[in-house]
Structures are given as C-alpha cells and as structure tokens.
Amino acid sequence: MKVEREPPGQVVQRVLARRDAFTAARDLSVNILMDRPATADEGSYRRERSLFIQYVNPEILACYGKDVTRGDVGQILTQALRATRLAVLLTDAYLIFPSSYMFELPWFDVFLAGIEPLIHEGLIRHTSRTPELTAYQDTKVREYRRDERNPYSTSHRVHIEPDLAWYPHFGKPTSAGIADQWSAALAPEGGLSGVVHAVARAWHRPYERVARIMAKSPERLEGQAFVKRFVERTLPGPVPDDADSLLGLFLSAAYLRSYVRDLDTAILTDLPIGRLSCELDDSMEDMKGRVLSSRRLDLALHWLRVDHFVHRGASWKELVLLRSSAEFGMITSLLYGSGSANAFRLAIIGASRSRHFGPAVTCGDALSNVAVVADQLARMPG
C-alpha cells in the first residue's frame, strides 16, 4: 500500500497498480500465518503473541539496582511509557501485566493514565487467577503476611479503569512454577549452583548439605510469595553479598519464565534503564522468539526515519495504526524472525532514493516510509 504525504490530520492512501499482485500475495501470506495454529516446536517471533509488561516489575527492577518506591520512580515511569510505545508496535495482540502491579506500585495509576487510550481500545489487560480484585487481594494478603509494609493490606483500595480487561492466568500457580525450577536448579550444574557454592563457603558447610537445606525453602515459605526477602528468611544463616544478587536474579528469571510460558507471551528487553531480561535470552530453547530487543527496534525505526515520530509525535491511536499496517508487520517479522538483516539494510538504501522517503512528521509520513521499504523488500530476489 502506498501512503502519500498528507496535510496534518489527513491520511491519503493510493495503491499502485504495479503492486496489486504483491499486496494480494502478501496479505494472503499474512492471513495464512495468522490463522495457522502454532506447533509445539515453533520457536520464532510471532506478531499474534502478546507482550508481557515486565519492565515495571519491582523484583526485576531491583535486580538492576532500581527502587520502585524511592528516587528511581521518575526514571522508571518515563522509561516505562517509552518502552510501551515500542511494545505496542511489536504485537498485533495486546499487552499484559500481572494484577499485582496495581497494589505493589504506588504510582501505577499514573502509568495507566498515560496509556489510557490503549486501555479504552482493549489493548491492555491485567492477569491473575480470578477477575475479582477483592478475592485476589485477600489471597495476596496471606502471601505477604510477614511483610513489614504489606502492599495488599485490606486498607489498600485500588481504582480500576472500567475498560481494563482481565486475562485469566491458567496453569500452575506462579509460586509452584518457581518451586519446580528451584528444585532443578540446586543440582551442581544448575542455575543456583553459584548461590549454593557461595553460601557453602560462607557457612563452612559442604555443597550437598547447603543444597539439601535450600531444597526445603519452598516448603518453609508456608504459602508466602516466592520472592527473595521471604526466601532468605527460610535459611538458617545470611546469604553472602556475592550470592544475594544471584539469588534475586534467579528468582526473577523463574518468575518471568513462568509467566511467559503460561501466557504464551514475549517480553521487551535491552532497555536504556537496563536489560530487564534476568539473563533470559533468545538462545534458550523455550525463549526463542520471545525476547525482543528494544535497541534492535529503535535502530530499525531510525533507519526507517520514523523514530522521532514514534517517540515524540505519535498518539497511541497513530501507533496502533502504524503497527496494524501489513508492511510494518512484514518488517518486524524480518527483524525478529529468520529473515536477513542485510536484506533490510539494502531495502533502506534502496528506499532512500525515493522522494516518498523522508523524516516522518505525521502518521501518513511514517506509513509512507514503511510502505516504500516494504516495497523494496518485495522486489528482492528469493
């Protein structure tokens, strides 16, 4: 589709006859892909997969030295809104966050207010095991019962936008999923081996003895949330500093992996505030196509000459319009799928010769640039 430059507030579309065949073939290909159920071994980026908002999670941010209740709040909120502009471009579905954010983040209502148009369009969802926030809160009160400042205190009332949809969290409870990963990771070559070795040195005990002690932590939690401060209280001695951060990273990675697998989502990582992936990456078998770099998208937007528009000028409605174009989906599938990065570079070089390719000021400009590059890609052999 060719999108011409337009006066502010207008979008003029013109499909060129020479591209009708390409447009029809591309749309057919996209429709087949969208209608095809994913196979068990399919490990690639899929735009129909939702994105999980992990970049404001308090435990994950703590792993990267950020405190969601103190001096880092302004930076976290700014980066979260910026990240959401990218996240919404990387899915044809919606963005999901755990219902816990509405209780654990004092400023989360400000974030929701900043993305209110997406909420009204049904593109933001919160997830938990029950749609009833009162019942959810009662459950979490018990899980955080030994917290000095329980964020789920019954005196805490949450205002929820009427258009904010709920998404069911099926599968095992998150704590059970983390417990399974915890047990497997205590093996000598497991993900907790570094923690066990450090604790064994600090406590002057053999590795096997420390591993057996730590294996009882899930049971000793007695239904409390599986977070670092509670886990540490189940141990007979302090965790040394060189293991403390590793413990937090493991628990956050286990939490993140549980949500990503249960909800079949992807995550946006490699953000200016920190990678925020907890060492999960695309090389892991169960993470293939799910760990999406914001830097890669930002670079592509820069080459497409739409980066300033995306981050500074576009409304949420315009971002949804941009992501909904088949051409933009084609480009992101190339960037995060098995396509050639060189093909995209060559398409950018070819597009730069077009009079329709320039710095995007309006949504029509952005759509035009994307269409020109997609046209270049469609012309490439093979």
Side-chain angles (χ1 to χ4, degrees):
M1 183 182 298
K2 185 68 173 179
V3 182
E4 304 251 278
R5 306 235 175 232
E6 81 293 0
Q10 298 181 20
V11 177
V12 180
Q13 300 178 342
R14 181 166 61 91
V15 179
L16 302 183
R18 63 182 173 80
R19 296 192 57 214
D20 284 348
F22 159 70
T23 302
R26 178 208 59 215
D27 290 346
L28 178 61
S29 175
V30 169
N31 287 333
I32 290 173
L33 176 63
M34 293 293 285
D35 291 339
R36 175 174 52 81
T39 58
D41 60 349
E42 184 173 0
S44 61
Y45 167 68
R46 304 201 314 270
R47 286 191 58 85
E48 68 269 28
R49 181 180 280 147
S50 297
L51 260 74
F52 182 68
I53 299 178
Q54 96 292 356
Y55 43 79
V56 295
N57 181 278
E59 304 296 332
I60 292 174
L61 285 164
C63 292
Y64 293 84
K66 302 299 179 183
D67 190 327
V68 298
T69 63
R70 297 181 182 175
D72 298 320
V73 170
Q75 182 189 21
I76 293 170
L77 182 56
T78 298
Q79 290 292 308
L81 291 170
R82 177 185 173 90
T84 302
R85 286 181 165 267
L86 298 179
V88 78
L89 291 175
L90 287 174
T91 175
D92 289 326
Y94 33 79
L95 309 184
I96 302 177
F97 67 86
S99 305
S100 60
Y101 290 177
M102 292 185 283
F103 294 90
E104 295 184 22
L105 299 171
W107 44 266
F108 196 64
D109 57 339
V110 179
F111 173 72
L112 292 180
I115 60 173
E116 188 175 12
L118 296 179
I119 295 174
H120 291 328
E121 291 297 322
L123 300 178
I124 304 292
R125 303 190 179 190
H126 71 103
T127 185
S128 60
R129 297 191 169 276
T130 172
E132 299 296 331
L133 281 183
T134 300
Y136 172 77
Q137 183 178 11
D138 289 343
T139 299
K140 301 298 281 187
V141 164
R142 292 192 294 273
E143 290 184 12
Y144 284 76
R145 62 188 178 276
R146 293 175 187 168
D147 231 357
E148 292 179 3
R149 301 177 65 179
N150 190 330
Y152 297 94
S153 167
T154 53
S155 62
H156 188 166
R157 293 290 179 264
V158 172
H159 169 73
I160 184 169
E161 288 281 345
D163 293 331
L164 182 60
W166 171 74
Y167 187 85
H169 184 182
F170 297 123
K172 287 183 177 181
T174 306
S175 58
I178 297 175
D180 288 345
Q181 295 178 65
W182 176 272
S183 298
L186 289 170
E189 302 300 323
L192 282 168
S193 60
V195 176
V196 179
H197 279 300
V199 171
R201 288 193 298 270
W203 293 358
H204 304 290
R205 296 184 183 182
Y207 183 101
E208 293 75 13
R209 173 59 177 158
V210 173
R212 285 197 298 272
I213 292 172
M214 293 181 64
K216 296 179 181 178
S217 287
E219 179 184 346
R220 288 174 175 165
L221 282 171
E222 297 177 336
Q224 292 180 97
F226 216 128
V227 296
K228 182 164 72 76
R229 61 186 180 276
F230 295 160
V231 170
E232 288 178 329
R233 295 173 193 170
T234 68
L235 303 176
V239 176
D241 291 341
D242 58 344
D244 187 72
S245 58
L246 292 176
L247 178 60
L249 198 63
F250 172 84
L251 291 171
S252 290
Y255 162 91
L256 192 50
R257 177 177 261 120
S258 292
Y259 267 100
V260 166
R261 291 191 305 202
D262 288 351
L263 303 178
D264 189 24
T265 61
I267 55 174
L268 182 69
T269 69
D270 206 14
L271 297 159
I273 201 171
R275 183 157 175 78
L276 305 187
S277 66
C278 302
E279 304 302 310
L280 299 181
D281 64 57
D282 210 55
S283 67
M284 299 174 176
E285 190 62 32
D286 60 345
M287 291 293 117
K288 290 186 183 299
R290 299 178 184 274
V291 183
L292 310 179
S293 168
S294 70
R295 291 180 185 272
R296 184 182 303 179
L297 181 57
D298 262 331
L299 180 59
L301 295 176
H302 173 70
W303 285 350
L304 287 165
R305 308 189 76 176
V306 302
D307 51 325
H308 289 286
F309 171 73
V310 165
H311 285 299
R312 299 178 186 176
S315 66
W316 292 112
K317 184 177 181 179
E318 288 172 327
L319 289 176
V320 173
L321 181 62
L322 178 60
R323 82 164 192 179
S324 299
S325 73
E327 291 91 345
F328 190 80
M330 172 187 179
I331 289 171
T332 54
S333 295
L334 177 73
L335 290 171
Y336 292 97
S338 57
S340 166
N342 280 336
F344 181 61
R345 294 187 184 97
L346 289 172
I348 293 291
I349 293 170
S352 65
R353 304 188 185 102
S354 170
R355 64 185 179 87
H356 297 291
F357 191 78
V361 176
T362 66
C363 188
D365 294 343
L367 287 167
S368 178
N369 284 2
V370 168
V372 170
V373 172
D375 194 26
Q376 291 290 324
L377 286 168
R379 293 166 176 269
M380 291 182 180

